[in-house]
DNA sequence: CCCCTATCCTGAGGGC
DNA sequence: TGCCCTCAGGATAGGG
């Protein structure tokens, strides 16, 4: 599933090809994926606009237009946002096609439809209540000293639940929560407030490390994730624990345990992570 | 405050 | 070969 490293890879892929392009037409839209505004108004806001810049906040892709509006795309579990030739064969579950003046098309596809699309100004989306309040970015300079550290220090919830909370840490999902816990040698089921200062510091240091590594490998494609050009990422092969329950720990060779924490499948090493 | 569960949805994979 | 069942989970809403 697309988490911060996957979304970042897509944004970096698309940016040089999309910024400065004019949206000639909204070729195809599945109204069901539009959460705001009324689907009928999306074409009006997009057609004829130029893409001013492309950004990311947490797991949200932000495509800023010269109108000060932004097209916000959340990929959910199975979403992809790819640049393709306008004549390229159309895959099933393609919900949005944006024809660009470059001759290419920006295509949003999402079989499970857990993703969503928004269009509006920043304040408009906030007022409409469709854009959640997001926590700190793992690559922000003050990440390890800010909100995330404070919540981890005081929350009685499991560490894993805090890591997954988008209002605390923006962009962390199931994969990198488990990876960070492994690298920091912290059990994901521990109550956050019971971590020692050293454990908490290790955990906060680990998250940007595992994410940076994943970005270098262009993201984790264990199922649906694809980069901005439709290709798979290579990070899955280098993950420590995610998807490896029952197999040997890469550090101590003992069998990795798989449990459910905060409603999510969680894998950790019972020997390395205390 | 916090946990758990159901909900949305499709495709993959196992069992037979 | 094919059918049925279960499971996967990001975000959110509602119940305990």
């Amino acid at each position: 599933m697309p988490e911060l490293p996957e979304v970042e890879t897509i944004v970096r892929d698309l940016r040089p090809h999309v910024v400065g392009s004019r949206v000639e037409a909204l070729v195809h839209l599945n109204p069901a994926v539009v959460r705001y505004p009324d689907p009928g108004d999306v074409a009006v806001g997009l057609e004829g606009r130029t893409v001013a810049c492309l950004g990311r906040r947490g797991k949200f892709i932000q495509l800023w237009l010269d109108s000060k509006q932004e097209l916000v795309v959340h990929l959910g579990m199975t979403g992809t946002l790819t640049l393709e030739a306008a004549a390229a064969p159309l895959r099933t579950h393609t919900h949005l096609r944006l024809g660009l003046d470059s001759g290419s098309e920006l295509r949003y596809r999402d079989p499970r439809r857990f993703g969503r699309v928004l269009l509006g100004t920043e304040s408009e989306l906030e007022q409409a209540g469709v854009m959640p309040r997001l926590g700190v970015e793992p690559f922000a300079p003050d990440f390890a000293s800010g909100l995330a550290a404070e919540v981890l220090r005081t929350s009685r919830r499991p560490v894993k639940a805090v890591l997954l909370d988008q209002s605390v840490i923006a962009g962390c999902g199931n994969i990198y929560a488990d990876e960070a816990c492994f690298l920091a040698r912290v059990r994901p089921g521990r109550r956050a407030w019971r971590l020692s200062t050293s454990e908490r510091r290790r955990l906060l240091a680990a998250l940007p490390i595992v994410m940076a590594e994943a970005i270098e490998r262009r993201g984790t494609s264990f199922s649906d994730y694809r980069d901005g050009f439709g290709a798979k990422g290579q990070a899955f092969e280098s993950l420590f624990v995610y998807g490896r329950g029952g197999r040997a720990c890469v550090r101590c060779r003992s069998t990795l345990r798989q449990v459910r924490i905060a409603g999510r499948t969680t894998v950790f090493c019972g020997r390395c992570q205390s």
Side-chain angles (χ1 to χ4, degrees):
Chain A
M1 55 232 97
E3 303 180 23
L4 188 154
E6 289 74 33
V7 175
E8 181 65 24
T9 301
I10 291 168
V11 166
R12 289 184 189 180
D13 284 352
L14 297 180
R15 188 176 283 133
H17 300 276
V18 169
V19 171
S21 290
R22 209 174 79 102
V23 179
E24 301 232 293
L26 196 163
V27 185
H28 170 78
L29 177 74
N30 177 354
V33 304
V34 179
R35 299 292 176 85
Y36 186 91
D38 290 330
D41 297 333
V42 175
V44 180
L46 286 171
E47 287 173 4
R49 293 298 171 189
T50 299
V51 179
C53 62
L54 197 57
R56 176 193 62 74
R57 177 80 171 96
K59 303 174 191 173
F60 291 84
I61 297 169
Q62 303 169 303
L63 199 141
W64 295 91
L65 305 168
D66 55 359
S67 60
K68 304 294 177 199
Q69 285 192 317
E70 53 174 328
L71 181 73
V72 176
V73 178
H74 192 292
L75 299 174
M77 294 240 343
T78 56
T80 56
L81 187 67
T82 52
L83 191 72
E84 299 175 38
L90 200 63
R91 305 195 61 193
T92 54
H93 308 297
T94 299
H95 303 306
L96 175 66
R97 297 167 66 192
L98 277 186
L100 304 177
D101 59 356
S102 60
S104 297
E105 241 177 51
L106 199 55
R107 293 179 174 176
Y108 168 64
R109 176 178 185 265
D110 183 13
R112 250 169 266 191
R113 273 188 275 143
F114 281 12
R116 66 200 116 135
V117 167
L118 315 166
L119 178 69
T121 63
E122 197 165 26
S123 60
E124 204 178 341
L125 296 177
E126 193 179 327
Q127 279 184 2
V130 288
M131 201 50 199
R133 220 172 291 282
L134 295 171
V136 287
E137 288 284 336
F139 291 121
D142 63 343
F143 172 67
S145 59
L147 176 69
E150 181 58 20
V151 174
L152 281 172
R153 193 176 66 77
T154 55
S155 173
R156 301 194 168 256
R157 306 163 71 191
V159 165
K160 173 98 179 226
V162 175
L163 293 178
L164 291 176
D165 188 337
Q166 299 301 299
S167 70
V168 178
I169 299 171
C172 183
N174 206 27
I175 298 173
Y176 301 105
D178 278 9
E179 294 299 299
C181 286
F182 177 83
L183 188 59
R185 304 195 307 282
V186 169
R187 281 199 198 208
R190 294 263 305 280
R191 302 285 144 175
W193 67 287
R194 309 212 57 155
L195 295 189
S196 69
T197 304
S198 157
E199 287 169 329
R200 190 167 60 246
R201 200 173 46 218
R202 291 206 305 263
L203 190 59
L204 290 165
L207 192 61
I209 290 173
V210 297
M211 286 185 165
E213 173 72 15
I215 291 172
E216 273 188 39
R217 294 177 185 268
R218 306 189 50 75
T220 298
S221 293
F222 77 99
S223 60
D224 299 86
Y225 163 72
R226 295 294 183 274
D227 67 22
F229 308 117
K232 291 188 178 190
Q234 304 303 314
F236 186 66
E237 294 80 24
S238 58
L239 297 181
F240 298 120
V241 287
Y242 182 85
R244 300 192 69 249
R247 296 178 58 194
C249 169
V250 295
R251 186 189 280 136
C252 77
R253 309 311 296 175
S254 71
T255 304
L256 293 175
R257 294 171 57 183
Q258 182 162 319
V259 297
R260 259 185 120 70
I261 299 172
R264 297 283 169 256
T265 300
T266 302
V267 184
F268 67 98
C269 175
R271 194 152 138 201
C272 293
Q273 294 169 260
S274 57

